[in-house]
Amino acid sequence: MGRTPCCESRQGLKKGPWTPEEDKLLVDYVQANAPGNWRMLPKLAGLNRCGKSCRLRWTNYLRPDIKRGPFTPEEHKSILQLHAIVGNKWSMIAAQLPGRTDNEIKNYWNTNLKKQLRQAALVGEKHHSALASPGASAGAGCLAARHTAQWETARLEAEARLSMLSTSAATTSVTASSSSSTAAAGGEHGADAPSDVFLRLWNSEVGDTFRRKSAGRAAREGSAPREGAQLPAAAPLPPPGDDSSAASNVTTAVTTEEYQVFLEMAAEELGLFHGGFSLYPPADGLFAEFE
DNA sequence: AAGAACTGCAACCGCCGGCGT
DNA sequence: CACGCCGGCGGTTGCAGTTCT
């Protein structure tokens, strides 16, 4: 509300690629003084740029701890796994990959991995049967693409089901209904289905604890979910045969705050993002080609 | 060899939430 | 409580380099 444009772009501030001289001015200033107020920084550092541009240049390129070079297989795998869980939360993903920036990961996803997804769609149509047989001549790239697509599909499915589960958890008695309904959902695809990564979290003690805390909070606040709040990332799948209004009901079932709390609990209690994401065993071959 | 098409990435843009007043 | 500032985030764009025809 009432925000002035972040950049006084009409006041002759420079835009476009940074020169080595500008980089040096920025690096010298930030290393001598903490960045502090980015809005004031350009003046203080003698740069004819807007503060936002300076911050972006520093965080995405000049920061000393930034790791350059191609993504390693481990990083690739981590990105796939984390994206399957949190979606396009590039900053969250970047936080788990030391030295990588959200911008870099976002670019990597939008170029490499999305391309793989597109290819996967084509391959899936044309060579479904060939890929199904272990001895088929599908290359590692096809396999990787297929796995990427599986993760993406799994994430979307899990999002949709998590939303529906949370709806029922919020509208019924917490202890009784959550255990029965989640058990049903968990059993639906079998214990090892990749689409259940999210649901395993949700159905685990972590999810249970979260639901109890969440229900308690809701009771205290006597609240319906915040309007407009929804699961982050791509649009959740509407229930089959559903109309748009019902679908929007589903998307408002979990607030982003609750969602974040849930993820944090999972990370804390399961060591999810540190040294091994074990809810779905990669030994199954899901990412075997990168190891 | 030259132009077209494609790719990858740095940078920009607009929106949002947190915080101070 | 309303407003404005600021930093942060995700989506998009522009352009240089590369590959293809």
Side-chain angles (χ1 to χ4, degrees), chain A residues 34-62:
Chain A
N37 186 337
W38 284 108
R39 201 177 175 88
M40 296 304 295
L41 185 146
K43 275 184 189 170
L44 298 172
L47 284 160
N48 189 30
R49 296 267 185 177
C50 79
K52 196 172 191 173
S53 181
C54 294
R55 183 177 58 79
L56 234 56
R57 181 64 178 172
W58 173 258
T59 55
N60 285 339
Y61 200 84
L62 297 175

Side-chain angles (χ1 to χ4, degrees), chain A residues 18-240:
Chain A
W18 282 64
T19 64
E21 291 75 25
E22 288 175 313
D23 282 347
K24 186 172 187 319
L25 280 173
L26 180 55
V27 169
D28 286 349
Y29 181 84
V30 173
Q31 284 179 346
N33 321 271
N37 186 337
W38 284 108
R39 201 177 175 88
M40 296 304 295
L41 185 146
K43 275 184 189 170
L44 298 172
L47 284 160
N48 189 30
R49 296 267 185 177
C50 79
K52 196 172 191 173
S53 181
C54 294
R55 183 177 58 79
L56 234 56
R57 181 64 178 172
W58 173 258
T59 55
N60 285 339
Y61 200 84
L62 297 175
R63 238 174 45 201
D65 58 330
I66 285 187
K67 192 169 158 187
R68 299 260 147 224
F71 282 78
T72 65
E74 288 74 24
E75 288 172 325
H76 179 100
K77 189 169 80 174
S78 296
I79 292 170
L80 288 177
Q81 290 176 336
L82 291 166
H83 188 271
I85 295 172
V86 303
N88 293 5
K89 296 290 169 190
W90 307 119
S91 56
M92 283 179 70
I93 297 174
Q96 309 306 321
L97 296 173
R100 299 296 187 182
T101 68
D102 53 352
N103 204 41
E104 201 176 6
I105 293 168
K106 179 172 59 183
N107 282 335
Y108 182 66
W109 179 267
N110 285 336
T111 55
N112 297 34
L113 302 181
K114 262 193 176 173
K115 193 168 63 185
Q116 287 185 4
L117 279 177
R118 280 199 298 271
Q119 288 171 353
L122 291 173
V123 169
E125 282 178 14
K126 290 183 180 177
H127 304 293
H128 184 266
S129 59
L131 282 169
S133 66
S137 61
C142 289
L143 207 55
R146 198 164 121 251
H147 293 155
T148 308
Q150 284 176 349
W151 270 102
E152 183 68 5
T153 304
R155 185 178 66 77
L156 290 171
E157 281 179 13
E159 267 181 19
R161 288 200 282 157
L162 173 58
S163 295
M164 287 188 280
L165 281 175
S166 63
T167 304
S168 78
T171 53
T172 60
S173 157
V174 174
T175 50
S177 76
S178 67
S179 59
S180 61
S181 66
T182 54
E188 190 180 359
H189 279 222
D192 291 323
S195 62
D196 281 351
V197 170
F198 220 131
L199 288 176
R200 285 191 192 192
L201 268 179
W202 187 253
N203 293 339
S204 67
E205 287 182 16
V206 177
D208 202 31
T209 308
F210 167 74
R211 282 190 295 276
R212 266 183 264 126
K213 285 183 181 175
S214 181
R217 194 169 53 245
R220 278 195 306 279
E221 295 166 3
S223 65
R226 265 180 300 166
E227 190 172 10
Q230 58 184 350
L231 285 171
L237 298 174

